[in-house]
Amino acid sequence: MLRVTFASVRAHGRRLFSTSLAVCLGVAFLAGTMILGDTFRANFDRLFQSALGQADAVVRSATDLDTDGEFAQGLLDGALADDLAALPEVGAVAPQIEGFGQLTGADGEKLGGEGPPTLAGNWIDDPELNPYELVAGRAPDAHDEVVINRGAAMDGDLQLGERTMVATPEPVDVEIVGIATFGGEDGLGPTTFTAFSLQGAEAHITGRPGEVTALLVGAASGVSEPELVEAITPMLPDGGEVISGDDLVAEANETIDEDFLGFLRTFLLVFAAVALLVATFSIANTFAVLAAQRVRSVALLRAVGASRRQVVASVLGEALFVGVVASLAGVAVGIGLAQGLKALFDAFGFALPAGGLTILPATFVIAPAVGILVTLFAGLAPALRSSRVRPLAALRDVDTDRSATSWPRLAVGVLCLAAGVAAVLAAVSNGDALALAGLGALLTSLGTVVIGPLVARPAGAVLGAPLPRIRGLAGLLARRNVVRAPRRTAATASALMLGIGVVTMFTAFAGSLKASLDDSVNDVVRGDLMIAGSQFGGGGLSPGLTPALADLDEVDRAVGLAVGPVAVDNRTLQVSALDPASSDGLLEPAMLEGDLARLAPGQVAVAESAADDRGWSVGDELPFRFPDGESELLTIGAVYEDVVVLQDAVVPRDVWVRHNVQVVDTLVSIGLADGVGVAEGQRAVEAAAAPFAPPDVQTRAEFVEESTAMIDQMLGLVYVMLALAIVIALMGIANTLSLSIYERIRELGLLRAVGATQAQVRSTVRWEAVLIAVFGTLGGLLLGIFLGWALVTSAAEALTALTFTVPV
């Protein structure tokens, strides 16, 4: 039987090749995903080691908020550096100031942002504690002198000696006196960095001379990091903490893994799973057709003494051979695919740290193992079917597919479908039950595939009804071929159905998110003109911009919006900060209780979801702890419906400014004076905003469109990722149809004998393929819309104001 298995592989090598391609692509996606995740983790670790591991210990504010490190927060007294330097365990101390600062390129456009931080700080003179190294020019001396990283200089076409603007967020006119590299690279990944002198950073970033965001400490010779931390701890002021360099790197890696890398790996693994699932159906179809073709040869083996176990082992041996060869090839292809995926993320604007691929041994074990197991699983049912062939079948011709489906199959399919739909509906009614919705989606998809043959016959008859009139005899034969072999039709279409279903589901979700965001922004943002900071990765608007615009004759009022974290009852809460009175007519969320525009001093407004989650109501007094470590007791004065523009709560702007070192606005909403047209007002606002590192002034419609641009970008990336699953599905259709031709050699020969031309035979097969593709696509659309509705509805509680929309 072993010789028979290898002989079968050799005999069917060309037919098994396309099956191997499906396995290879599925394994390649999985391997590429694993390699890409390991690469990003290693690159971030290397960057953090270079950026944060220079110091043996770091003294910083102990305020623990889920805050953006791009913005300067709680400060320390810089005089602490002298006290630390006197310790025998300390070799060197350097004050550090770090916050937000966005460079302007030679063409006047802002550099960086949209994800990667735009950092500004002070130049650290001690090279042992400074991760940056000068490669041209000198360190800054005067307040208006800066060193920038080489990557930013190249992107902005900036040269030594040139002057440019840095928004901190107040616009600062500076001269570039130095160019620096970061650990030999052009910068900390795609991050931009602008370094002032210490006095310049105090003046332009914190505005508080003598205070710093951190102190970098180097250990004396022979002193370990734990010993250094232990020596520093008694010297800490109230509200300060010390962390070792190694712990700081580990903390940064853990944060990036939780906030980004974990999501990215899950995101990619979902597509790898889809590709492997689609490949499974393609493999199963191929082996099913091969099993049908070899009925007489298997019957002959049974007649000369082969047992059912030997037949099963022979077919699974072929599957094992295909799985091993294709999986090993898939790992090799996956290495190239990982490089391509990395370039794809760059092309879609998701800039990530540079560096070569990191390939861990686990990739060479897990990816091939999954590919082999998937292939064996897909080949199991055809193997069992082959083993049931009786020896007498060798003496007669056998029709390979007489029945639509068996009653046990129908029962299993209906049971899976009912259980899946029930789980989906339960998840929808429960709200925020994504795990249950995922299980329901899996069972629904499985049930749909299992009962496919039952639906294929009537669907094929209806879809193919026009063909006899359109294509004559060829159309009639194509329709009859689809109807008389419903099991083959359904099996061939199932891979395409799943691929289309997943694409439709993601499209429906993205379309719903975009439509909901459009509605939310349109309902809340009522200003005539808008100025927005970066849509992703922080703001960038000077708080001085709003009062400057409000003074214009063409402007009736303007309100600036800042965002950031606070802590309430030891839980982080994201808040928006604005002047309530100025928001009237410009930012108007639907109010459930109270009035945002009429909040009294010391009052805040909270979103409905935050109030429900924490049991808050109007009149409750809450201790808000701010990024500077100070707390204030504020009273809930209003509750508003959840909206995208506003965060979990709205705090008065004067309170926010009092407790933040570097206030940065993310949005300014502008209402024009009576009688002022939009075009006239836009010209006046652009002129007034020009000194503030000129931001883009948009109409409300333009702002809404830009607010949803990121969704289109992400959807484009999803389409590219899912294209692989569609390619595998199309290969499965082509492979199964090609193999089915061998089942009909005598039938096709008879057609030719009675006068059918080659063109007519080709047309028959083509239209059969069209019917199968239409059947699979329509099934995928229906499945995807249902699952998309379930995903949107079950996620509506987690995502603000999300309602289901079908993007026609």
Side-chain angles (χ1 to χ4, degrees):
M1 289 303 295
L2 188 60
R3 286 197 297 272
V4 169
T5 300
F6 282 112
S8 180
V9 170
R10 288 194 299 271
H12 302 104
R14 189 171 62 180
R15 304 180 196 178
L16 293 174
F17 176 72
S18 55
T19 303
S20 301
L21 282 180
V23 180
C24 177
L25 287 175
V27 172
F29 212 142
L30 177 60
T33 295
M34 295 178 67
I35 292 170
L36 194 66
D38 293 336
T39 297
F40 287 153
R41 180 191 288 272
N43 288 348
F44 273 113
D45 182 64
R46 178 178 58 82
L47 288 172
F48 290 145
Q49 286 284 357
S50 300
L52 307 173
Q54 300 290 107
D56 297 303
V58 175
V59 179
R60 63 185 186 183
S61 169
T63 302
D64 183 21
L65 291 175
D66 182 16
T67 184
D68 192 337
E70 184 178 3
F71 301 107
Q73 298 299 344
L75 300 180
L76 299 171
D77 186 351
L80 179 61
D82 295 333
D83 298 334
L84 296 179
L87 293 174
E89 293 85 357
V90 172
V93 181
Q96 182 184 47
I97 293 175
E98 192 168 86
F100 169 81
Q102 189 162 36
L103 276 164
T104 302
D107 59 357
E109 296 293 325
K110 295 178 180 178
L111 300 179
E114 298 297 347
T118 51
L119 300 174
N122 66 300
W123 181 258
I124 296 171
D125 295 322
D126 190 335
E128 297 298 321
L129 296 176
N130 191 350
Y132 286 90
E133 179 182 359
L134 277 172
V135 292
R138 59 174 176 83
D141 256 341
H143 283 200
D144 64 344
E145 294 180 343
V146 296
V147 172
I148 65 174
N149 66 293
R150 188 163 61 188
M154 294 169 62
D155 289 344
D157 195 23
L158 298 170
Q159 309 292 329
L160 279 177
E162 290 185 348
R163 299 196 73 84
T164 187
M165 185 180 293
V166 180
T168 62
E170 299 296 343
V172 182
D173 185 62
V174 296
E175 179 185 358
I176 301 170
V177 297
I179 305 291
T181 57
F182 179 91
E185 303 288 341
D186 291 337
L188 175 59
T191 296
T192 65
F193 178 66
T194 306
F196 293 88
S197 65
L198 180 61
Q199 292 73 27
E202 289 174 341
H204 302 304
I205 298 175
T206 65
R208 302 184 186 183
E211 297 186 80
V212 296
T213 53
L215 293 170
L216 307 182
V217 185
S221 178
V223 177
S224 67
E225 286 190 0
E227 291 172 338
L228 180 63
V229 169
E230 186 179 357
I232 292 174
T233 300
M235 309 287 293
L236 294 176
D238 292 339
E241 69 174 4
V242 59
I243 185 171
S244 70
D246 289 343
D247 287 345
L248 189 64
V249 172
E251 179 184 87
N253 276 317
E254 182 180 352
T255 300
I256 197 69
D257 192 60
E258 290 177 355
D259 294 345
F260 174 70
L261 289 183
F263 166 78
L264 178 63
R265 281 196 299 272
T266 302
F267 177 79
L268 293 174
L269 283 172
V270 166
F271 295 109
V274 170
L276 283 168
L277 182 62
V278 172
T280 301
F281 284 98
S282 297
I283 299 162
N285 292 345
T286 300
F287 278 105
V289 176
L290 286 174
Q293 292 174 11
R294 292 180 293 182
V295 167
R296 298 183 69 184
S297 61
V298 171
L300 186 59
L301 286 173
R302 294 295 311 281
V304 297
S307 67
R308 290 186 61 181
R309 180 177 298 178
Q310 286 176 311
V311 172
V312 171
S314 178
V315 177
L316 289 181
E318 291 184 39
L320 178 63
F321 178 83
V322 170
V324 170
V325 173
S327 296
L328 293 178
V331 173
V333 175
I335 295 173
L337 184 63
Q339 192 67 51
L341 288 174
K342 194 175 178 186
L344 180 66
F345 275 88
D346 289 341
F348 276 89
F350 297 94
L352 295 164
L357 294 181
T358 299
I359 306 174
L360 301 180
T363 301
F364 291 98
V365 175
I366 296 174
V370 170
I372 292 169
L373 289 174
V374 163
T375 310
L376 287 174
F377 175 76
L380 181 60
L384 293 174
R385 195 176 305 126
S386 293
S387 72
R388 298 191 189 104
V389 174
R390 298 183 180 277
L392 286 177
L395 304 178
R396 65 175 184 265
D397 291 330
V398 179
D399 191 346
T400 59
D401 192 356
R402 294 182 185 274
S403 63
T405 185
S406 63
W407 285 109
R409 177 189 180 111
L410 177 60
V412 170
V414 171
L415 185 63
C416 283
L417 187 60
V421 172
V424 167
L425 294 178
V428 169
S429 61
N430 186 33
D432 199 21
L434 290 176
L436 183 60
L439 176 62
L442 181 62
L443 290 174
T444 302
S445 302
L446 182 60
T448 304
V449 170
V450 173
I451 67 169
L454 184 70
V455 182
R457 177 167 285 164
V462 172
L463 294 174
L467 284 186
R469 291 190 296 273
I470 297 173
R471 299 301 300 168
L473 183 61
L476 177 63
L477 291 174
R479 179 182 180 227
R480 287 182 177 178
N481 284 336
V482 169
V483 171
R484 73 185 176 93
R487 184 179 296 169
R488 185 178 65 223
T489 299
T492 306
S494 58
L496 181 63
M497 183 189 71
L498 289 175
I500 294 293
V502 174
V503 172
T504 303
M505 181 182 70
F506 277 105
T507 305
F509 182 79
S512 300
L513 187 61
K514 184 175 181 177
S516 300
L517 186 60
D518 276 347
D519 292 342
S520 178
V521 173
N522 265 317
D523 290 344
V524 176
V525 179
R526 311 307 302 169
D528 300 299
L529 298 173
M530 311 297 298
I531 301 178
S534 169
Q535 293 294 306
F536 176 56
L541 301 177
S542 166
L545 176 61
T546 300
L549 298 179
D551 287 341
L552 293 175
D553 293 336
E554 294 84 354
V555 173
D556 176 48
R557 68 177 68 188
V559 61
L561 183 73
V563 298
V566 299
V568 181
D569 298 329
N570 295 320
R571 292 174 62 187
T572 299
L573 191 74
Q574 297 297 325
V575 301
S576 300
L578 53 78
D579 177 26
S582 299
S583 70
D584 192 15
L586 298 179
L587 294 173
E588 294 185 339
M591 302 304 299
L592 301 177
E593 292 185 75
D595 189 341
L596 175 64
R598 288 163 180 78
L599 288 178
Q603 287 188 330
V604 298
V606 298
E608 180 184 14
S609 60
D612 291 344
D613 181 46
R614 306 192 185 202
W616 294 339
S617 58
V618 171
D620 288 350
E621 288 188 330
L622 305 174
F624 278 65
R625 183 164 58 86
F626 292 91
D628 64 351
E630 298 294 325
S631 295
E632 282 199 32
L633 200 62
L634 301 175
T635 303
I636 296 178
V639 178
Y640 55 87
E641 287 186 2
D642 293 68
V643 291
V644 175
V645 179
L646 299 177
Q647 305 294 317
D648 299 323
V650 174
V651 301
R653 188 177 183 89
D654 59 339
V655 175
W656 184 253
V657 171
R658 194 157 57 237
H659 295 290
N660 277 268
V661 176
Q662 196 178 29
V663 177
V664 181
D665 282 349
T666 60
L667 179 70
V668 177
S669 182
I670 305 159
L672 298 177
D674 292 339
V676 177
V678 172
E680 179 188 355
Q682 192 166 8
R683 287 192 296 271
V685 169
E686 286 174 346
F692 295 89
D696 293 328
V697 181
Q698 302 171 310
T699 63
R700 187 152 63 100
E702 290 170 340
F703 170 71
V704 171
E705 182 178 354
E706 185 174 300
S707 297
T708 59
M710 181 64 73
I711 299 175
D712 291 331
Q713 191 177 50
M714 293 186 68
L715 188 57
L717 179 63
V718 168
Y719 282 155
V720 174
M721 304 287 283
L722 287 172
L724 179 60
I726 301 298
V727 168
I728 295 174
L730 295 178
M731 286 173 51
I733 289 178
N735 192 32
T736 308
L737 281 173
S738 298
L739 291 172
S740 72
I741 298 301
Y742 289 93
E743 301 177 21
R744 294 178 283 175
I745 286 177
R746 297 182 66 183
E747 172 191 323
L748 296 175
L750 183 60
L751 285 173
R752 296 284 284 121
V754 297
T757 65
Q758 287 187 4
Q760 286 175 317
V761 173
R762 286 197 296 268
S763 180
T764 298
V765 176
R766 276 200 304 271
W767 280 104
E768 185 179 345
V770 168
L771 283 179
I772 292 173
V774 171
F775 173 63
T777 300
L778 290 177
L781 286 171
L782 293 174
L783 178 65
I785 289 173
F786 173 68
L787 297 181
W789 168 79
L791 178 62
V792 169
T793 309
S794 58
E797 193 169 306
L799 297 174
T800 303
L802 186 61
T803 54
F804 179 66
T805 304
V806 178
V808 178

Coordinates of all heavy atoms in Angstrom, one line a residue, residues 39 42 104 127-128 177 194 313 317 382 410 426 449 461 474 505 525 563 616 724 767 807:
T39 N 9.1 40.2 14.5 CA 10.0 41.3 14.0 C 9.7 42.6 14.7 O 10.6 43.3 15.1 CB 9.9 41.4 12.5 OG1 10.3 40.2 11.8 CG2 10.7 42.6 11.9
A42 N 10.8 42.5 18.3 CA 12.2 42.7 18.4 C 12.7 44.1 18.1 O 13.6 44.6 18.7 CB 12.9 41.6 17.5
T104 N 8.3 71.8 11.4 CA 7.7 72.1 10.1 C 8.8 72.0 9.1 O 10.0 72.4 9.3 CB 7.2 73.6 10.1 OG1 6.2 73.7 11.1 CG2 6.7 74.0 8.8
P127 N 27.1 61.9 26.9 CA 26.8 60.9 25.9 C 26.5 59.5 26.4 O 25.9 58.7 25.7 CB 28.2 60.9 25.1 CG 29.2 61.4 26.1 CD 28.4 62.4 26.9
E128 N 26.8 59.2 27.7 CA 26.5 57.9 28.2 C 25.0 57.8 28.6 O 24.5 56.7 28.7 CB 27.3 57.7 29.5 CG 28.8 57.6 29.3 CD 29.2 56.5 28.4 OE1 28.6 55.4 28.5 OE2 30.1 56.7 27.5
V177 N 21.0 73.7 14.5 CA 22.5 73.7 14.6 C 23.1 72.3 14.7 O 24.3 72.2 14.7 CB 22.8 74.5 15.9 CG1 22.3 76.0 15.8 CG2 22.3 73.8 17.2
T194 N 13.0 66.9 18.4 CA 13.7 68.2 18.4 C 14.2 68.5 19.8 O 13.5 68.4 20.7 CB 12.6 69.3 18.0 OG1 12.0 68.9 16.8 CG2 13.2 70.6 17.9
A313 N -5.5 4.8 5.0 CA -4.1 5.2 5.3 C -3.5 5.6 3.9 O -2.7 6.6 3.9 CB -3.4 4.0 5.8
G317 N -2.1 9.2 3.4 CA -0.7 9.3 3.1 C -0.4 10.4 2.0 O 0.5 11.1 2.0
P382 N -12.8 12.5 2.6 CA -12.7 11.7 1.4 C -12.0 10.4 1.6 O -12.4 9.4 0.9 CB -11.8 12.7 0.5 CG -12.0 14.0 1.0 CD -12.2 13.8 2.5
L410 N -27.9 16.6 6.6 CA -28.8 17.7 6.7 C -29.1 18.0 8.2 O -29.2 19.2 8.6 CB -30.1 17.3 6.0 CG -31.3 18.2 6.1 CD1 -30.9 19.6 5.5 CD2 -32.5 17.7 5.4
A426 N -28.2 35.8 20.7 CA -28.0 36.0 22.1 C -26.9 37.1 22.4 O -27.0 37.9 23.3 CB -27.6 34.7 22.7
V449 N -22.3 25.9 5.2 CA -21.5 25.0 4.3 C -22.1 23.6 4.3 O -22.2 23.0 3.2 CB -20.0 25.0 4.7 CG1 -19.3 23.9 4.0 CG2 -19.4 26.4 4.5
A461 N -31.1 26.0 -10.2 CA -32.2 26.0 -11.2 C -32.7 27.5 -11.4 O -32.9 27.9 -12.5 CB -33.3 25.2 -10.7
A474 N -25.5 25.2 -24.8 CA -24.4 25.2 -23.8 C -24.9 25.7 -22.5 O -24.5 25.2 -21.4 CB -23.3 26.1 -24.3
M505 N -18.5 41.0 5.7 CA -18.6 41.3 7.1 C -17.8 42.5 7.5 O -18.3 43.5 8.1 CB -18.2 40.1 7.9 CG -18.4 40.3 9.4 SD -17.9 38.9 10.4 CE -16.1 39.0 10.1
V525 N -20.9 68.5 16.1 CA -20.1 69.6 15.6 C -21.0 70.6 14.8 O -21.4 70.2 13.7 CB -18.9 69.1 14.8 CG1 -18.1 70.3 14.4 CG2 -18.1 68.2 15.7
V563 N -7.8 67.1 25.0 CA -8.1 65.7 25.5 C -7.0 65.2 26.3 O -5.8 65.6 26.1 CB -8.5 64.7 24.4 CG1 -9.7 65.2 23.6 CG2 -7.3 64.5 23.5
W616 N -22.8 56.5 38.2 CA -22.8 57.9 38.5 C -24.1 58.6 38.1 O -24.8 58.1 37.2 CB -21.7 58.7 37.8 CG -20.3 58.3 38.2 CD1 -19.9 57.7 39.4 CD2 -19.1 58.5 37.4 NE1 -18.6 57.5 39.4 CE2 -18.0 58.0 38.2 CE3 -18.8 59.0 36.2 CZ2 -16.7 58.0 37.8 CZ3 -17.5 59.1 35.7 CH2 -16.5 58.6 36.5
L724 N -6.0 37.5 -0.5 CA -5.3 36.2 -0.5 C -6.3 35.1 -0.3 O -6.3 34.1 -1.0 CB -4.3 36.1 0.6 CG -3.5 34.8 0.7 CD1 -2.8 34.5 -0.6 CD2 -2.5 34.8 1.9
W767 N -19.9 28.5 -18.3 CA -21.1 29.0 -17.7 C -21.4 28.2 -16.4 O -22.0 28.7 -15.5 CB -22.3 28.9 -18.7 CG -22.2 30.0 -19.6 CD1 -21.8 30.1 -20.9 CD2 -22.6 31.4 -19.3 NE1 -21.9 31.3 -21.5 CE2 -22.4 32.2 -20.5 CE3 -23.1 32.0 -18.2 CZ2 -22.7 33.5 -20.5 CZ3 -23.4 33.4 -18.2 CH2 -23.2 34.1 -19.4
P807 N -23.4 49.1 3.4 CA -22.8 49.9 2.3 C -23.0 49.3 0.9 O -22.3 48.4 0.5 CB -21.3 49.9 2.7 CG -21.1 48.6 3.4 CD -22.4 48.3 4.1

